[in-house]
């Protein structure tokens, strides 16, 4: 299965290219430091050879409190509008801030708790009495609970707090891992290596056997998933 754009915009094409690259790169969910490093490399590959012509800014959600922000800013031909990303960090004690483009002031002490931390990301500064930082050209930042992480290894702090990547389909993911590690894996007697994800969903509730060529290697991938390990059959 591959990701294909529904429309014809460059944004959709790039998004699908990133998803396909990540799918090909990892057999299982990576850690946030590894994902940060991989996304940084992919973004550099995308703009490579077209550095001067490319404008490439995006936010990529990664859970309830976590998202990536990447910027390759610039102006379109015959335009003075600068297309980039900016962010500001709000910490307690929260105060007021006034919008740049209209006469309106907000009191964030009334909308935030004393334990909150907030990061606001926009294509241009929104308020005139806060410090806005422009994301550097080619910079990838991971924001988590209002804090920026620019170095991949620093993302390990988020993992230790239990906010790494998760999936509700752990058994299915592990089955895919076993299947790719062992060339003779079959999810059921009727299945084949060309089987798609829908057949995985159908076979798992029936507890069909997983036939592998190397049961020791398969068990290492499955770790402590006793339910799936009990379905392994070595040939």
């Amino acid at each position: 299965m591959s990701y294909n754009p529904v429309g014809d915009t460059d944004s959709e094409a790039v998004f699908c290219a990133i998803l396909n690259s990540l799918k090909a790169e990892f057999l299982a969910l990576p850690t946030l430091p590894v994902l940060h490093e991989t996304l940084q490399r992919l973004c550099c590959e995308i703009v490579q050879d077209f550095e001067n012509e490319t404008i490439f800014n995006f936010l990529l959600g990664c859970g309830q409190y976590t998202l990536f922000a990447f910027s390759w800013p610039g102006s379109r031909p015959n335009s003075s509008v600068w297309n980039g990303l900016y962010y500001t960090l709000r910490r307690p004690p929260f105060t007021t801030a006034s919008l740049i483009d209209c006469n309106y002031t907000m009191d964030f002490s009334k909308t935030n708790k004393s334990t909150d931390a907030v990061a606001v990301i926009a294509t241009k500064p929104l308020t005139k009495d806060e410090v806005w930082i422009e994301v550097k050209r080619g910079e990838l930042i991971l924001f988590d609970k209002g804090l920026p992480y620019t170095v991949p290894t620093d993302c390990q702090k988020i993992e230790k707090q239990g906010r790494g990547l998760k999936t509700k389909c752990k058994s299915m993911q592990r089955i895919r891992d076993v299947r790719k590690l062992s060339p003779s894996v079959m999810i059921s007697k009727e299945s084949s290596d060309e089987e798609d994800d829908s057949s995985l969903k159908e076979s798992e509730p029936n507890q069909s056997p997983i036939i592998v060529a190397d049961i020791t290697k398969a068990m290492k991938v499955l770790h402590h998933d006793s339910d799936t390990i009990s379905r392994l059959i070595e040939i």
Side-chain angles (χ1 to χ4, degrees):
M1 182 188 75
S2 61
Y3 299 94
N4 300 293
V6 176
D8 55 3
T9 65
D10 54 357
S11 299
E12 292 173 273
V14 169
F15 180 57
C16 289
I18 291 175
L19 292 180
N20 285 323
S21 296
L22 292 176
K23 184 175 183 292
E25 185 88 13
F26 301 111
L27 297 180
L29 292 178
T31 63
L32 288 177
V34 172
L35 180 59
H36 190 296
E37 185 177 4
T38 304
L39 281 174
Q40 180 72 75
R41 173 173 53 80
L42 292 176
C43 290
C44 291
E45 291 176 357
I46 289 172
V47 301
Q48 187 177 6
D49 299 328
F50 298 95
E51 291 92 345
N52 297 327
E53 301 91 341
T54 300
I55 300 174
F56 183 30
N57 303 297
F58 72 81
L59 303 180
L60 180 64
C62 191
Q64 184 177 1
Y65 304 105
T66 310
L67 64 81
F68 286 96
F70 177 83
S71 181
W72 191 272
S75 296
R76 300 190 184 280
N78 304 317
S79 173
S80 60
V81 177
W82 184 253
N83 299 283
L85 288 180
Y86 298 79
Y87 69 92
T88 187
L89 305 175
R90 293 174 182 155
R91 301 286 182 273
F94 293 99
T95 57
T96 61
S98 301
L99 293 177
I100 292 176
D101 56 355
C102 68
N103 185 22
Y104 187 79
T105 300
M106 298 162 289
D107 186 352
F108 295 112
S109 66
K110 296 181 179 179
T111 59
N112 294 280
K113 301 176 182 178
S114 58
T115 55
D116 287 344
V118 180
V120 181
I121 308 167
T123 55
K124 62 180 181 179
L126 303 177
T127 55
K128 56 188 176 184
D129 36 20
E130 293 182 299
V131 176
W132 287 84
I133 303 170
E134 183 174 11
V135 180
K136 298 175 184 178
R137 193 183 202 203
E139 185 176 34
L140 178 70
I141 304 177
L142 175 62
F143 289 90
D144 179 75
K145 282 198 166 184
L147 296 177
Y149 297 84
T150 57
V151 180
T153 52
D154 289 345
C155 300
Q156 189 63 38
K157 299 175 184 177
I158 306 172
E159 294 274 346
K160 291 181 179 179
Q161 295 174 25
R163 293 195 301 281
L165 298 182
K166 294 180 176 65
T167 175
K168 295 181 180 179
C169 306
K170 291 183 179 179
S171 294
M172 288 176 57
Q173 181 64 50
R174 289 166 177 163
I175 289 172
R176 292 192 193 99
D177 297 347
V178 171
R179 194 167 165 194
K180 290 181 179 180
L181 285 172
S182 179
S184 301
V185 167
M186 291 185 292
I187 302 303
S188 65
K189 293 181 180 179
E190 296 79 21
S191 64
S192 66
D193 287 340
E194 288 75 26
E195 176 181 340
D196 60 19
D197 290 344
S198 62
S199 59
L200 285 178
K201 295 176 184 178
E202 294 171 359
S203 64
E204 188 152 275
N206 297 326
Q207 296 296 300
S208 55
I210 304 174
I211 304 173
V212 298
D214 188 335
I215 196 168
T216 302
K217 186 183 294 184
M219 290 176 68
K220 288 181 180 179
V221 175
L222 293 169
H223 300 297
H224 302 295
D225 190 345
S226 57
D227 291 338
T228 307
I229 288 176
S230 66
R231 296 163 56 195
L232 296 177
I233 298 178
E234 187 173 56
I235 58 173

